Amino acid sequence: MAVSLVPTEAAPASPPHDAAVSARLGAVIPAPVRVEPLPGVTYRLSPETTVRATPEPGPLAVAGQLAELLRGPTGYPCPVAPAGAAGAEGDISLLLTPEATEPEGGGAEGYQLDVTTDGVAIRARTVAGLFYGVQTLRQLLPPAVAAGTPGPGPWLVPAGRIVDHPRYAYRGAMLDVARHFFDVDAVCRYVDQLAQYKINHLHLHLTDDQGWRIAIESWPLLTQVGGAGQVGGGPGGHYSKQDYRRIVEHAASRQMTVVPEIDVPGHTNAALVAYPQLAPGGVAPGPYAGTDVGFSALAIDQDRTYAFLADVFGELADLTPGPFLHLGGDEAFTLAPDPYARFMDRAQRIIAATGKRVLGWHQIAPTAHVQGRVLHYWGTARQDAGVAEAVRRGAQVLLSPADRTYLDMKYTAATRLGKEWAGRIEVRQAYDWEPADHLDGVPADRVLGVEAPLWTETVTTSAEIEYLTFPRLPAIAELGWSAPGRRDWAGFRRRLAAQAPGWRAAGITFHASAQVPWPAPATPTAPATPTAPAVPAARRPGDPATR
């Protein structure tokens, strides 16, 4: 496997079950920088175990999350207490380490995890590093911990040292809440699942032809009218500002940044239904519940359109602590290149004026450059001259090649959910590529990271989200976290198989790919019957067959 397993000392003989416990140290996803096991040695949680942390709000909050995770399955009180200069014997300690004594893990998100018979210590420079160390510790615990219900134990952790830090600063996943609406609880559940694999950005696709999902006080009909539909019909829904703040706050507690997307100038039918004055000719279209794309656009030569954008992006910037606002920019098929470029020049400057960085689908590449902008590449080609030129002008690239990362693609011909315009994506297809050299003309140092989008034309429940996400999301998460020398397919498929007992315990629905040697039982509970109304086969984005 890709990680280094270096014994450091002889260990006493262990009971037979310790072999399975020790194996967990070599099954972590994403693959750590270095793993040094102490063979046959384990740490045992006990009723006396205390979770200690550096006495500051951030570390104590992470300690509280860990304690909550442990209390349900173990039945132990697991109190949280301030840590001293070193952890107490028998306890779990989360320790912020000053830069002068930076742990070997290094970096703002790096950590060092040490497990001995006497306790567990996670050291990091930042709260994010402590959080990611805890996510690794979760994978070292028995899978039954994920159930959250009392179990018999024993609660053993394999001993050793893990030193770790990420490759890319941006490791993302996208959830489309516009085609089908998902409430705050469903989004927060998804955040929790993503965070376990060290995903640190949640991209929310908030607007599209079928629905507008975020309240804008200065334009209230966007949600009152534009939010009242979805693919196939149905009531739709939207987030109040308080709802959105709940998502942002929950994501932040999982060290995740929310990236909101308002897709313009196309994909705007819902906005035009609410405010016909934004439509070309001032004529309101009818509500749309299908899945075709490219037919809608704002009236780009009207000053009121840019006042609208300033209001929308201004309010959203005030709600969003993260650095990015995503303005979409794809599939504006009704606009010629020159008018599109004029629109995008003004729209990007409106976002820049809020103090946020512009993030947009790679169709914005030929338009004027603004400082700090990022092109979100979803194409299936390995070259794009416009993107390469935009990079030469200063842009960065976020990679979501649709034939590798789109979680809404079917796994196989037999997959009920999803689509096929970018091909079928089995686990190896999602895993076996290299972001640094994927796109010709884009140097490795201009790649900001990777993101796994999930479009929801065929998806209506959390179980369906999970089924299309797992097991592909961990594959893409490892591409974002682990350097090429720490990755290989043979090792990954074995480590991926080891995740299944925890998913089952947590009630996560997943696809039992034939490419992975799953432990018995091999077949998970899959979404049973279609819940989405039948809609015409279409694509999002880029299927030339529909145009």
Side-chain angles (χ1 to χ4, degrees):
M1 101 170 246
V3 296
S4 171
L5 302 178
V6 184
T8 57
E9 62 179 72
S14 303
H17 67 258
D18 275 1
V21 174
S22 296
R24 296 201 289 267
L25 200 66
V28 174
I29 296 176
V33 171
R34 192 172 77 251
V35 180
E36 300 174 354
L38 291 174
V41 180
T42 58
Y43 166 76
R44 182 188 293 259
L45 281 135
S46 75
E48 288 73 42
T49 297
T50 295
V51 181
R52 299 185 181 275
T54 298
E56 298 177 13
L60 289 169
V62 176
Q65 294 170 15
L66 175 58
E68 183 178 2
L69 173 75
L70 298 174
R71 288 177 189 130
T74 66
Y76 302 155
C78 297
V80 174
E89 184 171 332
D91 290 340
I92 301 172
S93 298
L94 311 183
L95 305 172
L96 278 183
T97 306
E99 189 170 358
T101 56
E102 181 180 333
E104 202 175 341
E109 297 178 296
Y111 66 90
Q112 180 174 302
L113 168 62
D114 290 292
V115 182
T116 69
T117 55
D118 296 329
V120 176
I122 300 172
R123 296 177 175 86
R125 284 182 59 192
T126 66
V127 174
L130 293 178
F131 179 83
Y132 295 131
V134 167
Q135 303 320 299
T136 295
L137 177 59
R138 290 179 67 156
Q139 294 188 38
L140 303 184
L141 289 159
V145 164
T149 55
W155 307 103
L156 302 176
V157 180
R161 168 173 289 180
I162 292 179
V163 176
D164 203 10
H165 55 81
R167 180 186 191 188
Y168 287 118
Y170 191 117
R171 307 176 302 280
M174 189 211 79
L175 182 62
D176 169 15
V177 296
R179 270 43 179 277
H180 283 103
F181 179 68
F182 294 89
D183 65 18
V184 173
D185 289 342
V187 175
C188 289
R189 174 179 171 86
Y190 198 46
V191 165
D192 290 345
Q193 294 165 351
L194 298 172
Q196 293 183 46
Y197 294 96
K198 305 181 175 74
I199 294 296
N200 69 348
H201 287 79
L202 174 68
H203 170 187
L204 288 176
H205 183 75
L206 291 167
T207 68
D208 216 298
D209 292 314
Q210 299 82 357
W212 184 288
R213 307 303 183 200
I214 180 67
I216 302 297
E217 289 178 1
S218 52
W219 298 78
L221 298 184
L222 289 171
T223 50
Q224 294 173 19
V225 175
Q230 60 185 16
V231 167
H238 71 274
Y239 306 119
S240 68
K241 288 192 170 183
Q242 185 57 38
D243 291 334
Y244 182 78
R245 289 188 187 98
R246 283 180 56 201
I247 293 171
V248 168
E249 290 168 3
H250 185 79
S253 75
R254 271 60 176 169
Q255 303 304 310
M256 196 174 299
T257 299
V258 172
V259 179
E261 180 187 352
I262 303 296
D263 202 348
V264 292
H267 292 278
T268 48
N269 194 81
L272 305 183
V273 172
Y275 288 100
Q277 61 266 42
L278 298 174
V283 178
Y288 185 67
T291 60
D292 282 338
V293 299
F295 58 87
S296 62
L298 295 169
I300 64 169
D301 293 324
Q302 300 290 335
D303 287 341
R304 69 169 66 94
T305 295
Y306 301 97
F308 164 75
L309 294 181
D311 290 340
V312 169
F313 286 125
E315 290 191 33
L316 198 54
D318 289 343
L319 288 170
T320 303
F324 296 107
L325 292 182
H326 201 306
L327 84 169
D330 60 324
E331 298 174 327
F333 297 150
T334 65
L335 298 179
D338 287 347
Y340 174 85
R342 290 198 305 272
F343 169 87
M344 199 53 66
D345 179 33
R346 293 183 68 175
Q348 290 182 105
R349 285 189 281 114
I350 287 169
I351 288 179
T354 71
K356 302 296 186 182
R357 294 179 67 183
V358 171
L359 180 57
W361 300 110
H362 71 271
Q363 282 75 19
I364 74 171
T367 66
H369 178 71
V370 293
Q371 184 67 31
R373 80 167 174 168
V374 178
L375 308 182
H376 194 170
Y377 184 77
W378 56 263
T380 58
R382 296 289 303 276
Q383 61 282 317
D384 187 298
V387 171
E389 174 57 28
V391 167
R392 285 191 286 273
R393 288 186 282 141
Q396 288 182 287
V397 176
L398 174 63
L399 288 170
S400 294
D403 58 338
R404 298 286 186 172
T405 68
Y406 268 34
L407 300 179
D408 55 308
M409 293 299 108
K410 292 178 179 288
Y411 292 98
T412 69
T415 306
R416 175 179 64 80
L417 297 169
K419 298 159 75 171
E420 298 180 277
W421 67 263
R424 300 166 191 153
I425 304 178
E426 256 290 6
V427 185
R428 186 166 188 172
Q429 176 80 359
Y431 183 78
D432 235 354
W433 62 286
E434 170 48 44
D437 61 11
H438 185 76
L439 200 56
D440 292 349
V442 177
D445 63 359
R446 302 311 293 167
V447 175
L448 180 64
V450 295
E451 181 177 288
L454 177 55
W455 304 99
T456 60
E457 289 97 332
T458 70
V459 179
T460 63
T461 67
S462 286
E464 292 171 344
I465 289 174
E466 292 163 6
Y467 184 77
L468 290 174
T469 297
F470 295 99
R472 291 181 291 199
L473 185 280
I476 298 161
E478 182 152 301
L479 290 172
W481 183 276
S482 307
R486 287 143 47 201
R487 303 194 315 261
D488 69 276
W489 168 247
F492 177 75
R493 67 192 289 267
R494 178 181 60 78
R495 288 181 287 119
L496 188 61
Q499 304 294 306
W503 294 343
R504 294 189 185 105
I508 293 175
T509 303
F510 66 98
H511 167 64
S513 169
Q515 297 181 338
V516 179
W518 305 107
T523 305
T525 302
T529 56
T531 55
V535 294
R539 58 91 164 102
R540 166 63 182 156
D543 180 8
T546 64
R547 291 285 166 228

